[in-house]
Amino acid sequence: MRIGPDGAGADPFDAEAAGLDEAAARIRRILEGLDTLRAFTLAHAPAAWLHQCAETQGPPSPERLFLDGLDVVSSDATEVTFSYGNLRPLLVRVDGRGRGREVRPKA
């Protein structure tokens, strides 16, 4: 299931079989903790990304991380994409409790 700014989603499916209620609960937890996730993202961003940010955008600021999408990839993981100005977007792997686990540039 993918939720993005265009509202796009997966093809029609059986919501119960797909775990839609569980996915919705995880998304709510992520959104409720968005400020914490933004801080985690910058604290764990790749050094090259942080360097480029500092050179082109000034000191990194969590308020400038724009939520670009949520992608429920498994029963225990969600990927959150943040954009930041004209820099490469960051992809944050989030566990089932809404806690950030990994940050990498989006491919």
Side-chain angles (χ1 to χ4, degrees), residues 41-97:
T41 301
L42 289 182
H44 295 87
W49 187 94
L50 290 169
H51 179 74
Q52 183 180 11
C53 181
E55 284 189 346
T56 63
Q57 310 278 323
S61 170
E63 292 80 24
R64 296 193 58 207
L65 283 170
F66 176 76
L67 178 61
D68 208 25
L70 295 153
D71 195 7
V72 177
V73 296
S74 71
S75 62
D76 64 348
T78 302
E79 291 181 342
V80 179
T81 304
F82 287 108
S83 59
Y84 193 104
N86 61 353
L87 297 176
R88 189 170 179 188
L90 292 174
L91 187 69
V92 184
R93 185 92 164 181
V94 178
D95 68 16
R97 294 183 185 171

Side-chain angles (χ1 to χ4, degrees), residues 2-9 68:
R2 170 145 176 69
I3 299 172
D6 61 356
D68 208 25

